[in-house]
Amino acid sequence: MAGGDGPRIRWDGRECAVTLPMAGGGNLEAKWTPETTYVVRIREAGAGEWSFGFETPVAGATFRSLLPNTEYEVEFRVRGSSGEGDPAHARFRTGPAGESGKVVPFPKR
């Protein structure tokens, strides 16, 4: 990886692009427009309001910078051309450093 360039993932809300440096120089790039994405919201377990949320074409996330030793709820909705689907939920508890320590997989599309 010459010049400190590493893999990059870009998502502009419509198109996803991945750039991977090649061992012999140059880059391999792939672009696609996903037919469906995920809308993800998080909150402390039992709290009334969900976070604003984010949209992503990636099917999992690791949450960081959360409160330590706290239980969280995550809501996932699949978004496609017909709008957002019904929500699916997951729960996890953070450790002493405030991290979930694992990737939270999103429901299958």
Side-chain angles (χ1 to χ4, degrees):
M1 292 184 277
D5 292 336
R8 292 186 310 264
I9 299 175
R10 293 179 307 282
W11 166 246
D12 65 8
R14 185 184 59 80
E15 183 179 74
C16 191
V18 177
T19 303
L20 301 171
M22 294 173 50
N27 293 307
L28 173 65
E29 187 166 313
K31 294 181 182 181
W32 69 97
T33 303
E35 292 180 22
T36 58
T37 57
Y38 291 99
V39 176
V40 182
R41 295 176 181 90
I42 187 171
R43 68 180 178 190
E44 285 184 51
E49 295 291 320
W50 289 99
S51 67
F52 178 74
F54 62 92
E55 183 177 6
T56 179
V58 180
T62 299
F63 297 96
R64 301 196 184 287
S65 301
L66 301 175
L67 296 173
N69 301 313
T70 303
E71 189 167 5
Y72 285 89
E73 297 172 303
V74 182
E75 177 185 83
F76 313 96
R77 292 179 186 255
V78 175
R79 177 181 285 170
S81 59
S82 60
E84 288 184 19
D86 293 332
H89 295 93
R91 290 175 86 110
F92 66 90
R93 177 170 287 283
T94 57
E99 296 185 9
S100 66
K102 63 179 181 176
V103 172
V104 177
F106 300 168
K108 298 210 185 291
R109 296 180 191 192

PDB file of all heavy atoms in Angstrom, residues 70-83:
ATOM      1  N   THR A  70     -24.006  -0.711  29.806  1.00  0.00           N
ATOM      2  CA  THR A  70     -25.361  -0.241  29.514  1.00  0.00           C
ATOM      3  C   THR A  70     -25.982  -1.142  28.462  1.00  0.00           C
ATOM      4  O   THR A  70     -25.321  -1.546  27.514  1.00  0.00           O
ATOM      5  CB  THR A  70     -25.321   1.220  29.003  1.00  0.00           C
ATOM      6  OG1 THR A  70     -24.670   2.030  29.983  1.00  0.00           O
ATOM      7  CG2 THR A  70     -26.706   1.760  28.731  1.00  0.00           C
ATOM      8  N   GLU A  71     -27.270  -1.442  28.623  1.00  0.00           N
ATOM      9  CA  GLU A  71     -27.979  -2.245  27.630  1.00  0.00           C
ATOM     10  C   GLU A  71     -28.580  -1.322  26.573  1.00  0.00           C
ATOM     11  O   GLU A  71     -29.164  -0.280  26.903  1.00  0.00           O
ATOM     12  CB  GLU A  71     -29.078  -3.077  28.282  1.00  0.00           C
ATOM     13  CG  GLU A  71     -29.687  -4.074  27.325  1.00  0.00           C
ATOM     14  CD  GLU A  71     -30.549  -5.122  28.025  1.00  0.00           C
ATOM     15  OE1 GLU A  71     -30.748  -5.023  29.235  1.00  0.00           O
ATOM     16  OE2 GLU A  71     -31.019  -6.016  27.327  1.00  0.00           O
ATOM     17  N   TYR A  72     -28.412  -1.714  25.307  1.00  0.00           N
ATOM     18  CA  TYR A  72     -28.921  -0.938  24.168  1.00  0.00           C
ATOM     19  C   TYR A  72     -29.858  -1.784  23.331  1.00  0.00           C
ATOM     20  O   TYR A  72     -29.733  -3.007  23.282  1.00  0.00           O
ATOM     21  CB  TYR A  72     -27.763  -0.453  23.283  1.00  0.00           C
ATOM     22  CG  TYR A  72     -27.000   0.701  23.883  1.00  0.00           C
ATOM     23  CD1 TYR A  72     -25.917   0.488  24.715  1.00  0.00           C
ATOM     24  CD2 TYR A  72     -27.388   2.007  23.610  1.00  0.00           C
ATOM     25  CE1 TYR A  72     -25.221   1.548  25.273  1.00  0.00           C
ATOM     26  CE2 TYR A  72     -26.696   3.077  24.154  1.00  0.00           C
ATOM     27  CZ  TYR A  72     -25.616   2.841  24.984  1.00  0.00           C
ATOM     28  OH  TYR A  72     -24.931   3.894  25.533  1.00  0.00           O
ATOM     29  N   GLU A  73     -30.765  -1.084  22.641  1.00  0.00           N
ATOM     30  CA  GLU A  73     -31.642  -1.702  21.646  1.00  0.00           C
ATOM     31  C   GLU A  73     -31.277  -1.097  20.288  1.00  0.00           C
ATOM     32  O   GLU A  73     -30.998   0.102  20.202  1.00  0.00           O
ATOM     33  CB  GLU A  73     -33.109  -1.390  21.933  1.00  0.00           C
ATOM     34  CG  GLU A  73     -33.602  -1.939  23.250  1.00  0.00           C
ATOM     35  CD  GLU A  73     -35.002  -1.448  23.580  1.00  0.00           C
ATOM     36  OE1 GLU A  73     -35.197  -0.217  23.644  1.00  0.00           O
ATOM     37  OE2 GLU A  73     -35.869  -2.303  23.777  1.00  0.00           O
ATOM     38  N   VAL A  74     -31.289  -1.930  19.262  1.00  0.00           N
ATOM     39  CA  VAL A  74     -31.022  -1.478  17.902  1.00  0.00           C
ATOM     40  C   VAL A  74     -32.225  -1.860  17.055  1.00  0.00           C
ATOM     41  O   VAL A  74     -32.737  -2.980  17.155  1.00  0.00           O
ATOM     42  CB  VAL A  74     -29.734  -2.125  17.333  1.00  0.00           C
ATOM     43  CG1 VAL A  74     -29.454  -1.597  15.941  1.00  0.00           C
ATOM     44  CG2 VAL A  74     -28.553  -1.877  18.248  1.00  0.00           C
ATOM     45  N   GLU A  75     -32.690  -0.926  16.247  1.00  0.00           N
ATOM     46  CA  GLU A  75     -33.812  -1.177  15.335  1.00  0.00           C
ATOM     47  C   GLU A  75     -33.288  -1.138  13.908  1.00  0.00           C
ATOM     48  O   GLU A  75     -32.545  -0.225  13.543  1.00  0.00           O
ATOM     49  CB  GLU A  75     -34.882  -0.102  15.503  1.00  0.00           C
ATOM     50  CG  GLU A  75     -36.041  -0.274  14.529  1.00  0.00           C
ATOM     51  CD  GLU A  75     -37.035   0.849  14.609  1.00  0.00           C
ATOM     52  OE1 GLU A  75     -36.794   1.898  13.965  1.00  0.00           O
ATOM     53  OE2 GLU A  75     -38.037   0.694  15.328  1.00  0.00           O
ATOM     54  N   PHE A  76     -33.662  -2.135  13.123  1.00  0.00           N
ATOM     55  CA  PHE A  76     -33.264  -2.235  11.715  1.00  0.00           C
ATOM     56  C   PHE A  76     -34.515  -2.265  10.855  1.00  0.00           C
ATOM     57  O   PHE A  76     -35.465  -2.972  11.176  1.00  0.00           O
ATOM     58  CB  PHE A  76     -32.516  -3.544  11.449  1.00  0.00           C
ATOM     59  CG  PHE A  76     -31.455  -3.858  12.451  1.00  0.00           C
ATOM     60  CD1 PHE A  76     -31.710  -4.695  13.517  1.00  0.00           C
ATOM     61  CD2 PHE A  76     -30.200  -3.315  12.325  1.00  0.00           C
ATOM     62  CE1 PHE A  76     -30.735  -4.999  14.440  1.00  0.00           C
ATOM     63  CE2 PHE A  76     -29.208  -3.606  13.245  1.00  0.00           C
ATOM     64  CZ  PHE A  76     -29.480  -4.448  14.301  1.00  0.00           C
ATOM     65  N   ARG A  77     -34.503  -1.527   9.783  1.00  0.00           N
ATOM     66  CA  ARG A  77     -35.576  -1.579   8.782  1.00  0.00           C
ATOM     67  C   ARG A  77     -34.926  -1.659   7.412  1.00  0.00           C
ATOM     68  O   ARG A  77     -33.980  -0.934   7.130  1.00  0.00           O
ATOM     69  CB  ARG A  77     -36.461  -0.336   8.839  1.00  0.00           C
ATOM     70  CG  ARG A  77     -37.293  -0.226  10.092  1.00  0.00           C
ATOM     71  CD  ARG A  77     -38.111   1.062  10.035  1.00  0.00           C
ATOM     72  NE  ARG A  77     -38.823   1.286  11.263  1.00  0.00           N
ATOM     73  CZ  ARG A  77     -40.134   1.091  11.418  1.00  0.00           C
ATOM     74  NH1 ARG A  77     -40.858   0.688  10.395  1.00  0.00           N
ATOM     75  NH2 ARG A  77     -40.707   1.322  12.568  1.00  0.00           N
ATOM     76  N   VAL A  78     -35.433  -2.531   6.579  1.00  0.00           N
ATOM     77  CA  VAL A  78     -34.956  -2.606   5.203  1.00  0.00           C
ATOM     78  C   VAL A  78     -35.678  -1.519   4.411  1.00  0.00           C
ATOM     79  O   VAL A  78     -36.890  -1.371   4.511  1.00  0.00           O
ATOM     80  CB  VAL A  78     -35.221  -3.999   4.593  1.00  0.00           C
ATOM     81  CG1 VAL A  78     -34.837  -4.031   3.129  1.00  0.00           C
ATOM     82  CG2 VAL A  78     -34.458  -5.062   5.368  1.00  0.00           C
ATOM     83  N   ARG A  79     -34.915  -0.744   3.628  1.00  0.00           N
ATOM     84  CA  ARG A  79     -35.502   0.301   2.788  1.00  0.00           C
ATOM     85  C   ARG A  79     -35.270  -0.078   1.328  1.00  0.00           C
ATOM     86  O   ARG A  79     -34.155  -0.381   0.923  1.00  0.00           O
ATOM     87  CB  ARG A  79     -34.864   1.655   3.074  1.00  0.00           C
ATOM     88  CG  ARG A  79     -35.419   2.758   2.160  1.00  0.00           C
ATOM     89  CD  ARG A  79     -34.788   4.084   2.427  1.00  0.00           C
ATOM     90  NE  ARG A  79     -35.336   4.630   3.660  1.00  0.00           N
ATOM     91  CZ  ARG A  79     -34.848   5.692   4.279  1.00  0.00           C
ATOM     92  NH1 ARG A  79     -33.783   6.305   3.807  1.00  0.00           N
ATOM     93  NH2 ARG A  79     -35.415   6.148   5.370  1.00  0.00           N
ATOM     94  N   GLY A  80     -36.342  -0.066   0.570  1.00  0.00           N
ATOM     95  CA  GLY A  80     -36.271  -0.356  -0.854  1.00  0.00           C
ATOM     96  C   GLY A  80     -37.119   0.630  -1.620  1.00  0.00           C
ATOM     97  O   GLY A  80     -37.536   1.654  -1.085  1.00  0.00           O
ATOM     98  N   SER A  81     -37.413   0.315  -2.868  1.00  0.00           N
ATOM     99  CA  SER A  81     -38.184   1.232  -3.712  1.00  0.00           C
ATOM    100  C   SER A  81     -39.601   1.451  -3.197  1.00  0.00           C
ATOM    101  O   SER A  81     -40.216   2.466  -3.491  1.00  0.00           O
ATOM    102  CB  SER A  81     -38.218   0.717  -5.155  1.00  0.00           C
ATOM    103  OG  SER A  81     -38.812  -0.571  -5.181  1.00  0.00           O
ATOM    104  N   SER A  82     -40.113   0.520  -2.386  1.00  0.00           N
ATOM    105  CA  SER A  82     -41.468   0.680  -1.843  1.00  0.00           C
ATOM    106  C   SER A  82     -41.474   1.280  -0.438  1.00  0.00           C
ATOM    107  O   SER A  82     -42.507   1.292   0.222  1.00  0.00           O
ATOM    108  CB  SER A  82     -42.191  -0.672  -1.843  1.00  0.00           C
ATOM    109  OG  SER A  82     -41.487  -1.598  -1.040  1.00  0.00           O
ATOM    110  N   GLY A  83     -40.332   1.767   0.053  1.00  0.00           N
ATOM    111  CA  GLY A  83     -40.267   2.398   1.368  1.00  0.00           C
ATOM    112  C   GLY A  83     -39.584   1.503   2.389  1.00  0.00           C
ATOM    113  O   GLY A  83     -38.904   0.540   2.041  1.00  0.00           O
TER     114      GLY A  83
END
